Amino acid sequence: MNNPDILLVIADDQPKGTLDAMPAVRSLIRDGGIQFENAISQTSLCSPARSSILTGDYSHTTGVWTNYATDQGSWTAFSRNGNEESTLGTRLRAAGYHTALVGKYLNHFSSSGPDYIPPGWSDFITMQAHRNNDLGGAGSYYNYDLRGTIERESHGDMPEDYSTDVLRDKARGVIADAPAKKPLFLMFTPWGPHGNYEPAPRHQGTWNGGAELPGSFNEEDMSDKPDWMQNAELASEAGESRALIRIHEALMSIDEAVAALHAS
């Protein structure tokens, strides 16, 4: 049997219970395959979780525990600890795959230098936000650059700059141009539905499926939680419901992208 083509899609900070906004994902992936009902992220934070996806190792092995540019966080720790020498990219490329990553990589990757490309990637197209915020410029819905194995592109704040759509088209180009005689591994990692939960213009105000908050919302008995959680202010039910609606709307463009990539 020939090695299969692989498409790995990673949405950013997608809450449980939001697949109702993604009919293509439900039909093409869940209903045509499998859904893990009890899966967990052992360190549910951007850089630690992505480091584990890339390497198959937990944080105590990767050394990546936070999103900050320290010796225990973000791309800084990931690279310093030698993780980039053995990732999905390097292993699958060694196995004969054409490997591609399109989208978000790791927080603070912007500090790597303008021409650096991690080992193992035949195509590497990642984001760098114009605003160098505490996320290390890892991505944005608007106002970002694309860099990597392509000529650097700058995107602004027009509807056509919406990053999920731009990355979708870049990923479709990777599929179209990939060598026919090699299996393809494509890791598609859009910024959405990361806060500030910004939907594509065509999807704003279109979600009418409701926004049911989880049963743990503003839990009354927090005695089994850390002190910082016990001391936190209660969240606004109206505010969280609005955010959940925008998350659904931000996921719609990712769902469209999955359908487009699946058909490519």
Side-chain angles (χ1 to χ4, degrees):
M1 178 181 178
N2 294 330
N3 290 330
D5 294 329
I6 302 170
L7 170 62
L8 173 59
V9 180
I10 302 176
D12 201 327
D13 290 348
Q14 179 178 352
K16 182 180 179 181
T18 53
L19 279 181
D20 49 351
M22 308 184 82
V25 168
R26 295 199 310 272
S27 62
L28 295 173
I29 299 176
R30 185 194 66 183
D31 297 345
I34 189 169
Q35 176 171 313
F36 295 95
E37 298 288 351
N38 296 310
I40 63 169
S41 173
Q42 81 289 345
T43 309
S44 53
L45 193 65
C46 290
S47 288
R50 287 173 188 269
S51 298
S52 292
I53 292 170
L54 284 164
T55 63
D57 292 326
Y58 291 160
S59 289
H60 64 262
T61 301
T62 65
V64 182
W65 294 94
T66 76
N67 289 334
Y68 299 104
T70 68
D71 58 1
Q72 291 187 313
S74 74
W75 176 82
T76 305
F78 187 78
S79 176
R80 182 178 299 166
N81 293 333
N83 292 295
E84 285 189 328
E85 302 307 315
S86 182
T87 66
L88 284 171
T90 62
R91 296 171 197 171
L92 287 172
R93 189 168 183 176
Y97 273 80
H98 183 90
T99 57
L101 183 145
V102 179
K104 179 180 176 180
Y105 186 48
L106 290 166
N107 299 77
H108 291 280
F109 179 68
S110 57
S111 63
S112 66
D115 300 320
Y116 176 74
I117 297 170
W121 300 104
S122 310
D123 291 295
F124 184 81
I125 304 172
T126 192
M127 291 183 286
Q128 184 171 328
H130 291 170
R131 180 183 177 188
N132 192 17
N133 51 28
D134 62 348
L135 298 175
S140 180
Y141 292 105
Y142 295 100
N143 296 308
Y144 58 92
D145 287 352
L146 294 182
R147 52 167 287 200
T149 54
I150 61 170
E151 188 173 342
R152 195 177 188 106
E153 293 181 6
S154 187
H155 291 267
D157 57 5
M158 300 298 290
E160 59 267 26
D161 293 311
Y162 188 70
S163 62
T164 302
D165 297 342
V166 172
L167 293 169
R168 174 203 63 205
D169 293 342
K170 294 296 182 187
R172 293 187 72 186
V174 165
I175 294 172
D177 295 338
K181 294 183 178 181
K182 285 189 173 185
L184 172 66
F185 170 63
L186 170 59
M187 191 169 175
F188 179 67
T189 59
W191 180 248
H194 195 287
N196 55 333
Y197 317 126
E198 189 158 358
R202 63 185 177 279
H203 295 138
Q204 292 180 8
T206 63
W207 178 250
N208 55 12
E212 184 177 349
L213 296 173
S216 59
F217 179 77
N218 283 343
E219 182 181 355
E220 291 186 8
D221 183 5
M222 297 284 287
S223 59
D224 61 339
K225 304 299 189 298
D227 288 344
W228 69 268
M229 294 184 71
Q230 295 186 43
N231 297 330
E233 294 183 6
L234 294 178
S236 161
E237 184 171 352
E240 292 302 310
S241 294
R242 285 193 298 271
L244 194 53
I245 289 172
R246 289 179 68 83
I247 288 172
H248 279 82
E249 292 173 350
L251 286 167
M252 291 177 178
S253 58
I254 299 177
D255 192 61
E256 292 173 350
V258 170
L261 295 177
H262 185 272
S264 295

